[in-house]
Amino acid sequence: MEYYNLLKGESFNQKVMLDIFEKMCSIRNFEKQVKKAYDEQDILCPVYLSIGQEAISASVSSSFNPNLIFTQHRAHSTYIAFGGNKDKLVEELLGRDGGCTKGKGGSPGVQDFEIGMFGHHGLIGENVPLAVGAALGAKNKSVLCVFGDGAAEEDYVFTAMAFAATNKLPILFICEDNDLSILTKKSERRNWELTDALRAVGMPCEDICDDPELIISTVNNLKTNLPAFINCRTCRHRWHVGTGQDGSPHEDRLEIFEEGLLKRGISQSEIFKIQEKTKIEMEELWKKHLQKQ
Amino acid sequence: MEKTLAETIRELTRKHLENNNGIILGQCLSAVGWVNNTVPDTKNIVELPMTDVAGGGIATGCAIVGRRPIFVVRFQDFMFLNSSMLINYSAKSKDIFGVSSPVFIRALATEKKGTGPVHSGITHSIFMHVPGFKVCSPMTPGEYEEVWKNYLAGEDPMFVSEHRHSFNQVEEMPNVIHQDAQITVYGIGYSRFKVKEATDVLTREGIKCNFINILWLKPLDLSERILNPLKQSKLGLVVDSGFEISGASQSVAYELMKQTKIYVEALGAGDRSVGTAERYENGTPTTKKIVEKVRELILLRS
Ligand SMILES: Cc1ncc(C[n+]2csc(CCOP(=O)(O)OP(=O)(O)O)c2C)c(N)n1
Ligand SMILES: [Mg+2]
């Protein structure tokens, strides 16, 4: 929570913060429904939950409006935060023809061309060179590319980002750094940070935690000077794949954010209203699709 | 108690790492069940970063200085990334530079349950296509021991096409030969389990089928053991879990045909991408599909 202090100088925009909170609650409640449907075997494909990591996409989406979006397997959060069609996401997870890839991509392959979001086929980090190529080919389209700390190690990731820096391509790269690749911690895999490597090729970089205010101010600073990279530290609550959990997570950004909002004078009842509204919305969304069976 | 295939792999690996100055490299080896319990918790384990291109090169580098590395690729589709240095250096260095580079490549496959576009592939035929590799697909403890012995005795990199659905296998898989069989069905890799089921069904129906296991894909075993049943039944089918078109099943069928001048067909996965939902799966031909194919071939002949 000390990060709130970092931002003392900036004015607190209540509406923006409540929007972000609502998006985070939407994602959390959506994912809870995914867990339920998966545990009850309504969902038969593997699922990659964003629970715990909601703040990143919720915050980035409030200050950056890309033409094209490239994500990897853990992307329900980005899909929802940027306004992807939730009905099609539910249908996709249920493996149906009405899904956003007609049931072919499943949880890791979600896409929605209405928001410029392309599907991920499954090779971690593939979305980085693809995003770079899309920015190169499309010309003057802003691009968001989200990947993980594991994917950051893939051979083709740094090279593609350096190419983006060389060619000044308008891409905002975000690493959702949960310090895990499946279950292996970063310290067991490498002794370097991608921010350090990218500074060497002249790309503006920040390494921050997933506090929404900090994310927004960082995105605002960087988005006028793309390409840029934000390594955003976060905490995955559930298993890499599936809905299980190993012990309780060391941090819940949603809870921390809620406390922060209270401290800023937002009332408990207003917060509760948002939590209830998103909960009911997601319950009804899932109920509607499950009843269709 | 007899060992499962997974336990066999783990114990062979343990011996190699502890007594033979061996080394094993791969991603997330120690996490999530130690690669389906096939990796022992001991020394000489190298956790690679998620570096699916350089990884094959790092393993190759270990091999050229004599470490006999086991290189684990958790899903065979990732071979399209990892294979670059294996195909271009490991497989060629003996010929070109006189330096052998015996990497033991453990390429794991799986299928079904939504494993989808990039976790359900079989890529052994790519390694048959390029020179320099030995290629095999062991499905039983005894076969794995044979493969391992062969690897240690030789100098070639070896592509070992594994399938997670066989890791609990304890028993060996003997060939089944009938005096008056109407067809000889060859199985490659995991498809052998389905071929065995199919040939049992057909034989019960009165269509006698020989069932032959193909362990070695390259060099392909063309011994009497493999050819004689075909010469007797005068019709053959080769089944594989990988893609049929230009794949192991077609290649082996052609070799058998060339050797015997007897008609042999191929059956493998269809020529289309795999999707996540069940209706888009496209892996090992089902027992039903193999049964139908055999019936069709026999009808065609008569
Ligand atoms: C090229 C490639 N190598 C390995 C994998 C296996 N794999 C799937 S997800 C994953 C972990 C990726 O970690 P990270 O990028 O940090 O994303 P997170 O799951 O933490 O969101 C791995 C290694 C893969 N899908 N693709
Ligand atoms: Mg991660």
Side-chain angles (χ1 to χ4, degrees), chain B residues 141-301:
Chain B
E143 289 175 358
Y144 211 96
E145 283 180 15
E146 177 187 331
V147 162
W148 181 249
K149 234 187 252 161
N150 185 301
Y151 164 70
L152 288 183
E155 285 187 69
D156 300 303
M158 188 170 290
F159 186 86
V160 186
S161 178
E162 301 178 7
H163 199 293
R164 281 178 169 80
H165 294 187
S166 74
F167 279 172
N168 288 328
Q169 182 70 12
V170 171
E171 285 156 15
E172 295 306 308
M173 296 185 78
N175 294 337
V176 180
I177 314 267
H178 300 276
Q179 289 305 320
D180 46 354
Q182 298 183 53
I183 187 168
T184 301
V185 190
Y186 296 87
I188 298 169
Y190 176 64
S191 81
R192 287 195 259 152
F193 294 96
K194 300 292 159 197
V195 172
K196 177 72 175 64
E197 279 170 21
T199 50
D200 285 350
V201 168
L202 287 158
T203 302
R204 276 200 301 274
E205 267 180 26
I207 302 177
K208 285 194 181 153
C209 306
N210 293 328
F211 161 59
I212 308 287
N213 294 281
I214 295 194
L215 166 62
W216 291 98
L217 288 162
K218 194 177 184 183
L220 181 62
D221 180 2
L222 290 170
S223 61
E224 298 288 285
R225 184 188 74 89
I226 299 277
L227 295 180
N228 277 352
L230 179 61
K231 286 180 186 160
Q232 172 270 316
S233 68
K234 301 225 161 25
L235 183 63
L237 174 66
V238 182
V239 186
D240 181 29
S241 300
F243 292 119
E244 180 181 311
I245 188 163
S246 298
S249 57
Q250 283 191 353
S251 167
V252 171
Y254 171 78
E255 284 297 333
L256 294 172
M257 233 177 323
K258 207 167 81 171
Q259 292 289 323
T260 60
K261 313 287 182 261
I262 291 166
Y263 188 67
V264 184
E265 276 216 14
L267 179 65
D271 187 22
R272 60 178 171 83
S273 11
V274 186
T276 302
E278 200 178 347
R279 64 188 174 284
Y280 298 119
E281 280 169 358
N282 181 22
T284 305
T286 58
T287 308
K288 184 165 165 263
K289 202 161 173 193
I290 300 167
V291 166
E292 281 166 5
K293 183 79 188 177
V294 169
R295 283 200 195 114
E296 180 194 311
L297 284 174
I298 285 174
L299 209 67
L300 218 70
R301 179 168 67 177

Side-chain angles (χ1 to χ4, degrees), chain A residues 48 53 72-74 120 122-125 147-152 154 156 176-182 189 236 240, chain B residues 27-28 50 52 74-75 78 81-82 118-119:
Chain A
Y48 299 86
Q53 306 190 173
Q72 61 177 41
H73 55 280
R74 200 174 306 287
H120 168 71
L123 295 172
I124 54 170
F147 54 94
D149 55 293
E154 287 292 0
Y156 35 88
E176 295 189 336
D177 180 354
N178 55 21
D179 192 28
L180 289 174
S181 180
I182 305 184
R189 300 165 357 223
R236 187 186 84 200
H240 165 64
Chain B
Q27 297 176 9
C28 308
M50 309 303 114
D52 279 274
R74 300 173 65 103
F75 292 94
F78 304 166
L81 293 168
N82 286 276
V118 84
H119 291 84

Side-chain angles (χ1 to χ4, degrees), chain B residues 30-41:
Chain B
S30 58
V32 215
W34 297 78
V35 193
N36 300 73
N37 270 317
T38 60
V39 174
D41 183 2

